[in-house]
């Protein structure tokens, strides 16, 4: 048994995919008999974040409205990143964490001690992310300790000039390197002179039955089409309503309460504001169809064998979606927004559930083998 530390996007405020990938990697490592913690590094969008004096900040510290500052002074809010949705708080509490680091500097000054350090998964190496990338390359780790990456994502095809303080030695002392996209293999080789393996997103390390034990099914008896977009997208919702109408389906839409968006009531649409990760999984599991622009919305639709259309709304960061759909030979189910607006039916969303499950099983075996061997 070893003590493992993971650095990833943890306690993400109302980001379903980030929370679930975090849980999956932590849970899989725990299932192997290891002790495992998530390194609790606060990010700039938290009001508790302290700016670095050592690294150049990529994003200003989050600003808190005056009334929230008053409330904050009455409670000990420094024990967790504030998240409005209590279902997220409950889900995040399932996992084990290190002491909280309120700045990148404090992590480097007093890093947690583990036998193995894991970078990943999620877009921790994305140079366009509004946080300092360097800690996610594990450069704070004491010399001589084992470092690996699991499904770390750059999310882009090329590193844009001038946006990243690139250092070619960041991956020099890694024991094993894996990424999530084919373009990530090219970036690791081109910029760091290293070889990387492609592995599945950690959410696919857990089986369908493991996720079914965790999810909470919605109290819904009617047939419905589930819509989830990373940012509320009225165009996608309106088109989904048109596509669902012909099949007699109600449309259920998850809207993050952190965005402040309150869509106008619309016939045939039900808006969900309080779903946590468990409830979000339940909505996908019970849906007849899913429309999403989300990588993890797509992954769980495949895991639960749901008819799926994924709308690509940003080609600049679509590499992980492209790799995912190519691995299932389902590129036709990944469409751009203009193509989506022209659709006349949901026929394109159907695929061979059995064939996809075979691919997922093979990806899981290959990826689990990589991780288990890397942790030895």
């Amino acid at each position: 048994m070893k003590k493992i530390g993971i650095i990833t996007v943890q306690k993400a405020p109302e980001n379903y995919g980030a929370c679930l990938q975090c849980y999956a990697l932590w849970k899989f490592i725990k299932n192997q008999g290891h002790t495992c913690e998530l390194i609790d590094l606060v990010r700039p969008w938290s009001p508790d974040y302290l700016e670095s004096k050592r690294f150049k900040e990529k994003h200003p510290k989050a600003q808190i409205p005056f009334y929230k500052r008053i409330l904050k002074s009455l409670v000990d809010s420094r024990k967790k990143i504030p998240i409005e949705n209590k279902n997220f708080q409950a889900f995040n509490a399932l996992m084990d964490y290190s002491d909280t680091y309120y700045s990148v500097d404090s992590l480097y000054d007093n890093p947690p001690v583990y036998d193995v350090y894991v970078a990943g998964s999620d877009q921790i190496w994305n140079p366009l992310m509004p946080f300092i990338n360097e800690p996610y390359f594990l450069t704070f780790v004491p010399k001589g300790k084992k470092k690996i990456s699991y499904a770390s994502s750059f999310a882009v095809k090329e590193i844009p000039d001038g946006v990243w303080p690139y250092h070619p030695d960041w991956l020099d002392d890694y024991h094993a390197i894996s990424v999530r996209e084919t373009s990530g293999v090219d970036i690791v080789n081109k910029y760091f002179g290293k070889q990387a393996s492609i592995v599945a997103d950690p959410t696919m390390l857990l089986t369908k039955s493991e996720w079914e034990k965790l999810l909470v099914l919605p109290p819904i008896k009617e047939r419905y089409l589930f819509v989830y977009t990373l940012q509320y997208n009225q165009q996608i919702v309106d088109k989904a309503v048109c596509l669902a109408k012909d099949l007699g389906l109600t449309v259920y839409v998850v809207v993050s309460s952190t965005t402040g968006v309150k869509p106008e009531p619309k016939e045939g649409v039900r808006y969900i504001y309080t779903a946590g990760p468990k409830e979000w999984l339940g909505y996908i599991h019970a849906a007849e169809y899913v429309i999403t622009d989300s990588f993890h919305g797509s992954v769980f639709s495949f895991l639960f064998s749901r008819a799926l259309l994924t709308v690509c709304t940003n080609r600049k960061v679509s590499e992980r979606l492209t790799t995912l759909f190519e691995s299932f030979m389902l590129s036709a189910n990944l469409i751009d927004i203009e193509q989506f607006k022209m659709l006349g039916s949901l026929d394109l969303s159907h695929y061979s559930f059995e064939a996809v499950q075979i691919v997922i099983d093979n990806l899981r075996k290959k990826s689990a083998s990589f991780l288990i061997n890397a942790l030895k």
Side-chain angles (χ1 to χ4, degrees):
M1 178 191 295
K2 293 184 177 180
K3 189 175 183 181
I4 315 293
I6 302 170
I7 190 164
T8 186
V9 179
Q10 88 296 345
K11 295 183 181 176
E14 297 208 24
N15 185 320
Y16 298 96
C19 287
L20 289 163
Q21 67 80 26
C22 181
Y23 173 84
L25 186 56
W26 170 83
K27 181 64 172 175
F28 180 84
I29 292 174
K30 291 272 288 185
N31 287 348
Q32 308 313 306
H34 300 296
T35 300
C36 187
E37 289 182 343
L38 296 156
I39 298 173
D40 197 13
L41 176 61
V42 175
R43 287 176 300 284
W45 51 72
S46 168
D48 287 333
Y49 180 76
L50 301 176
E51 292 185 356
S52 172
K53 296 180 180 179
R54 188 175 309 177
F55 298 91
K56 182 180 179 181
E57 292 287 350
K58 298 169 69 176
H59 193 277
K61 181 180 176 182
Q63 298 298 311
I64 318 173
F66 176 74
Y67 76 93
K68 285 195 175 181
R69 290 204 302 270
I70 298 299
L71 291 173
K72 184 173 180 290
S73 69
L74 300 177
V75 297
D76 181 14
S77 61
R78 299 186 68 81
K79 293 182 179 177
K80 60 181 182 294
I81 296 174
I83 298 174
E84 299 291 340
N85 189 324
K86 294 189 183 301
N87 287 325
F88 270 84
Q89 292 181 7
F91 183 81
N92 289 332
L94 296 174
M95 293 167 269
D96 300 317
Y97 299 90
S98 71
D99 291 340
T100 301
Y101 293 91
Y102 295 99
S103 71
V104 173
D105 294 354
S106 63
L107 176 63
Y108 279 78
D109 290 338
N110 187 30
V113 178
Y114 302 107
D115 299 313
V116 184
Y117 295 77
V118 181
S121 158
D122 220 336
Q123 299 182 49
I124 56 171
W125 292 350
N126 180 352
L128 303 179
M129 278 291 189
F131 53 73
I132 300 167
N133 291 107
E134 183 165 342
Y136 298 90
F137 282 89
L138 298 174
T139 60
F140 62 88
V141 172
K143 290 191 179 299
K145 291 288 187 176
K146 181 181 282 190
K147 298 193 287 189
I148 69 172
S149 75
Y150 184 82
S152 301
S153 175
F154 294 95
V156 294
K157 286 185 177 181
E158 294 283 342
I159 303 299
D161 292 336
V163 301
W164 201 27
Y166 154 67
H167 294 278
D169 61 342
W170 277 353
L171 294 177
D172 276 358
D173 54 352
Y174 270 61
H175 175 74
I177 303 169
S178 66
V179 292
R180 198 163 55 186
E181 303 98 2
T182 51
S183 59
V185 173
D186 297 334
I187 289 174
V188 168
N189 182 257
K190 177 180 177 180
Y191 290 88
F192 300 95
K194 297 292 181 179
Q195 301 300 311
S197 302
I198 294 179
V199 294
D201 184 82
T203 52
M204 286 186 271
L205 289 174
L206 303 185
T207 64
K208 176 182 177 181
S209 62
E210 286 178 283
W211 287 117
E212 287 174 334
K213 292 175 184 176
L214 186 72
L215 63 79
V216 174
L217 289 170
I220 299 172
K221 294 183 179 179
E222 62 185 337
R223 298 165 58 238
Y224 67 90
L225 182 157
F226 180 66
V227 176
Y228 171 68
T229 54
L230 296 171
Q231 300 292 327
Y232 181 77
N233 190 309
Q234 192 65 56
Q235 284 185 315
I236 291 178
V237 172
D238 289 344
K239 185 61 180 181
V241 172
C242 292
L243 294 171
K245 188 174 182 181
D246 292 339
L247 298 172
L249 302 173
T250 302
V251 174
Y252 280 78
V253 184
V254 162
V255 182
S256 172
S257 63
T258 60
T259 63
V261 173
K262 290 285 186 180
E264 292 292 326
K266 188 178 182 70
E267 184 180 355
V269 183
R270 307 286 185 269
Y271 295 105
I272 308 150
Y273 295 98
T274 59
K278 291 183 180 183
E279 292 77 18
W280 184 80
L281 290 175
Y283 277 105
I284 294 176
H285 190 278
E288 292 207 16
Y289 295 86
V290 175
I291 293 176
T292 187
D293 64 356
S294 154
F295 174 84
H296 287 102
S298 304
V299 167
F300 282 104
S301 297
F302 287 135
L303 280 167
F304 296 147
S305 297
R306 299 297 91 194
L308 170 69
L309 282 174
T310 297
V311 184
C312 183
T313 53
N314 187 351
R315 286 288 177 188
K316 291 182 179 180
V317 290
S318 65
E319 281 301 296
R320 59 184 185 156
L321 281 171
T322 300
T323 298
L324 177 69
F325 280 79
E326 285 178 349
S327 69
F328 295 130
M329 293 182 287
L330 290 175
S331 295
N333 291 65
L334 176 62
I335 60 179
D336 61 39
I337 187 68
E338 294 305 317
Q339 183 184 356
F340 177 67
K341 288 190 289 188
M342 297 297 291
L343 283 180
S345 74
L346 285 165
D347 292 345
L348 191 61
S349 64
H350 295 285
Y351 57 90
S352 170
F353 298 151
E354 293 79 9
V356 165
Q357 290 305 318
I358 290 172
V359 175
I360 291 175
D361 288 344
N362 290 334
L363 281 172
R364 181 182 296 116
K365 290 175 184 176
K366 172 189 170 185
S367 302
S369 176
F370 169 90
L371 184 53
I372 290 169
N373 287 328
L375 292 173
K376 287 181 179 177

